[in-house]
Amino acid sequence: MTLSYSTKNLPKQLFINNEYVDSKSSKKLSVYNPKDGSLLADDVPLAGEQDVDVAVDAAEKAFPAWKKMSANQRRGILNRFADLVEKNADSIAQLSRISLGAPAAFGAFEIGLCAECFRYNAGFIDKFGGESWPQEDGFLKIVRNEPLGVTAGIVPWNGPIGTIGLKAGPALATGNCFILKPSEKTPFSSLALGTLIKEAGFPPGVFQVLTGDGSTGALLASHMRIRKVSFTGSIATGKKIQEMAAKSNLKRVTLELGGKSPAVVFDDCNLENAVTWTANAITANTGQVCFAASRVYVQEGIYDKFIEKYKEAMKAKAKEIGDPDDKSTNIGPLVDEAQFKRVQGFIERGQQGQGTLAVGGKRVGDKGFYLEPTVFTDVDPKSEIHCEEIFGPVSVVKKFKTEEEIMQLSNNTNFGLMAGVFTQDINKALRVASDFDSGMVGINCVSIMFTMTPFGGSKESGLGRECGVHALRAFTEPKTIMINMSY
Ligand code: NAD
């Protein structure tokens, strides 16, 4: 089956128990195209309490057989789903692009990440067998990795397809049922997956999609029969989710939250490499990336040369801005008017004594939410633009003298998602990498991830990890079985 959606024919039904159904709630979401602000649809379902309950009932019913399904059968279903996602890449990417605004290359990256997450976790199904300890003390001990039951994934708009793979892949591989709640800003690509879920062979109730806003997310996070919520989004919402989880049934939570990631560029770095990585990091997906290197710290000996080249690189990036539907475009608009105004607000306030506007800062064109890549220099380390996540193509650059001073400043934040260090001195690189308070560190690279290595943040940037074996652990609980061998 090949998906054949278009802007005139969008998926607008919930996917529950392997069927597309109307929502029992009369509330609807409106979704807009950020390239021109036009309305795409004002009748996208906003799932309410009854819808959530029906989906949870179906998932609970499906769980016993799904968790007992043989490893190779389950692996086959996940792999087929990955194949179908790739086969329908253009259609799914378009459904994402029309409301996110990210150009084709980002869509292709996301489809690849999603499919790879399903395949990676499918490959783990028969290799995540638990542990056992010998019986010399009279007891044979077996530890099983038990699935949790009905689980949910609440995802953001800035990576609407990739984040599905990061959560649904390990949840389903380990035998859980999974309810996906996409962002209200980017619901269509998730809804379209229903057809592929059924075709891949997932039994009814195993993998469902409920569109909605924060109220739907809150119903999932506080539901008494959902055993885990994996969430990606803002710190404020993440804290609410943890609270709802604790106040309901103490469901498990994984939180992938925001960042204000530092890149530390030392005098002895390869200049071209440092400029390329730092400029790409803050402009990919129009800067709407949780692990974007948005604080760039440059040592005094190389500062002038770096800033000249960094400014050039950001000006060149401005020329890559365009209509996301045009194949040659690399940078699209911000996701919507609210985000655009938010980022513009930071830029305006930033110019009132927080730093020097060195590049960009202006709207591009007069329709749609396009913004020039923007750089502030000489920033006050206590200022808002230096300390808060802007979530747009805006970076701050600051000069430093010593390693000690810059590590102190880098870590003087409640964020801790990503960090980067640029130097050709391996001892310094490893020392700095170990000194960063962050979940991930790049050496001579930054703002990068791999499916096989833990992805996530320290401090307020998150709780738990996605990717690698950590993702499977996050969707299972060890059960210890002790056998009395002398009986
Ligand atoms: P958000 O927190 O506003 O929304 C994320 C999701 O949570 C959406 O699906 C939304 O409907 C839902 N939600 C909102 N309020 C809720 C509530 N009270 N209860 C339950 N669910 C609720 O975040 P956003 O604006 O969509 O995404 C941007 C943020 O996400 C940024 O801060 C960014 O750094 C972060 N992010 C983090 C990662 C990561 O892996 N660390 C990845 C991408 C984005």
Side-chain angles (χ1 to χ4, degrees):
M1 160 81 137
T2 308
L3 297 178
S4 61
Y5 290 109
S6 70
T7 45
K8 293 197 177 65
N9 166 34
L10 293 164
K12 292 184 204 165
Q13 283 185 300
L14 306 176
F15 186 73
I16 298 179
N17 213 18
N18 270 11
E19 300 298 336
Y20 278 111
V21 295
D22 289 331
S23 168
K24 294 181 190 304
S25 148
S26 58
K27 290 191 182 153
K28 303 285 177 205
L29 301 167
S30 295
V31 183
Y32 297 87
N33 189 331
K35 78 173 191 177
D36 54 12
S38 61
L39 180 72
L40 288 163
D42 59 5
D43 54 354
V44 179
L46 191 164
E49 192 166 359
Q50 268 184 293
D51 301 308
V52 171
D53 284 343
V54 172
V56 173
D57 286 347
E60 273 194 332
K61 203 163 152 228
F63 177 58
W66 175 244
K67 88 168 183 180
K68 287 187 180 150
M69 185 182 274
S70 73
N72 59 354
Q73 223 182 328
R74 198 177 326 134
R75 183 177 63 219
I77 295 173
L78 267 75
N79 281 333
R80 256 194 312 279
F81 182 74
D83 292 347
L84 287 167
V85 165
E86 280 180 340
K87 189 175 151 205
N88 289 282
D90 288 348
S91 198
I92 299 169
Q94 192 209 3
L95 288 174
S96 168
R97 186 167 66 245
I98 52 172
S99 60
L100 170 60
F106 186 77
F109 157 74
E110 274 218 281
I111 297 280
L113 174 62
C114 179
E116 176 58 19
C117 284
F118 273 87
R119 292 205 182 98
Y120 177 85
N121 285 289
F124 245 120
I125 294 177
D126 57 2
K127 301 168 195 70
F128 190 58
E131 299 164 297
S132 72
W133 278 266
Q135 65 219 46
E136 279 72 13
D137 57 7
F139 296 87
L140 177 64
K141 284 81 63 186
I142 301 171
V143 179
R144 289 168 51 90
N145 294 319
E146 296 280 353
L148 302 168
V150 183
T151 64
I154 302 176
V155 301
W157 46 264
N158 68 321
I161 308 168
T163 45
I164 298 171
L166 291 172
K167 298 182 189 312
L172 294 164
T174 45
N176 297 282
C177 293
F178 184 79
I179 300 172
L180 168 67
K181 209 293 285 171
S183 165
E184 56 274 35
K185 296 184 187 187
T186 50
F188 301 122
S189 46
S190 291
L191 284 178
L193 296 181
T195 307
L196 310 184
I197 289 170
K198 202 166 172 174
E199 191 177 339
F202 285 105
V206 167
F207 188 0
Q208 307 179 90
V209 186
L210 298 179
T211 44
D213 61 9
S215 66
T216 312
L219 287 167
L220 296 169
S222 52
H223 203 284
M224 290 303 289
R225 289 180 290 137
I226 292 180
R227 303 295 165 189
K228 155 113 197 178
V229 168
S230 179
F231 169 77
T232 297
S234 61
I235 291 178
T237 308
K239 287 182 177 178
K240 284 187 201 157
I241 285 184
Q242 194 175 24
E243 199 179 328
M244 286 185 270
K247 284 188 173 157
S248 54
N249 58 350
L250 210 60
K251 60 178 62 62
R252 282 34 177 165
V253 291
T254 296
L255 304 175
E256 296 293 352
L257 310 175
K260 185 81 177 179
S261 300
V264 175
V265 181
F266 284 99
D267 284 345
D268 60 356
C269 74
N270 176 311
L271 182 61
E272 297 293 335
N273 181 62
V275 169
T276 303
W277 277 95
T278 49
N280 286 344
I282 195 65
T283 50
N285 203 13
T286 323
Q288 303 164 123
V289 174
C290 55
F291 58 16
S294 48
R295 291 186 283 154
V296 183
Y297 298 136
V298 186
Q299 204 165 19
E300 57 186 359
I302 203 175
Y303 183 85
D304 291 343
K305 278 192 203 146
F306 178 91
I307 199 73
E308 193 185 318
K309 284 192 178 290
Y310 187 68
K311 276 164 46 179
E312 265 171 37
M314 296 295 260
K315 282 182 194 155
K317 293 277 179 198
K319 297 197 180 116
E320 297 176 18
I321 296 174
D323 181 340
D325 292 325
D326 183 338
K327 287 231 157 59
S328 64
T329 295
N330 277 330
I331 303 177
L334 290 159
V335 70
D336 64 3
E337 190 174 10
Q339 184 67 8
F340 180 76
K341 286 195 166 147
R342 184 173 177 274
V343 178
Q344 261 192 334
F346 275 106
I347 295 173
E348 277 161 24
R349 292 189 299 279
Q351 291 174 76
Q352 293 157 17
Q354 298 184 30
T356 306
L357 180 68
V359 178
K362 290 198 201 69
R363 181 178 199 156
V364 177
D366 53 10
K367 67 172 182 173
F369 307 117
Y370 297 92
L371 195 61
E372 288 175 339
T374 301
V375 180
F376 281 92
T377 53
D378 309 314
V379 286
D380 171 357
K382 291 201 172 65
S383 65
E384 181 192 66
I385 52 168
H386 181 267
C387 299
E388 287 187 28
E389 183 183 45
I390 297 175
F391 221 54
V394 183
S395 63
V396 294
V397 183
K398 202 171 158 41
K399 198 189 288 188
F400 73 91
K401 274 190 174 46
T402 66
E403 181 183 324
E404 194 188 10
E405 159 209 345
I406 207 57
M407 292 317 291
Q408 206 275 331
L409 187 63
S410 293
N411 290 335
N412 186 22
T413 166
N414 276 340
F415 296 110
L417 193 53
M418 167 69 63
V421 50
F422 292 85
T423 171
Q424 297 190 67
D425 174 344
I426 187 67
N427 292 333
K428 181 160 60 185
L430 291 174
R431 186 169 64 236
V432 166
S434 104
D435 285 348
F436 276 129
D437 281 347
S438 75
M440 299 171 283
V441 181
I443 295 178
N444 294 322
C445 61
V446 71
S447 309
I448 180 175
M449 65 176 291
F450 295 92
T451 352
M452 70 288 273
T453 50
F455 178 86
S458 60
K459 300 196 274 190
E460 290 191 26
S461 285
L463 187 72
R465 293 290 183 269
E466 298 195 301
C467 296
V469 71
H470 296 264
L472 294 113
R473 288 189 193 133
F475 276 101
T476 51
E477 216 146 49
K479 179 196 277 175
T480 305
I481 300 174
M482 294 150 284
I483 308 167
N484 181 353
M485 303 301 288
S486 56
Y487 175 68

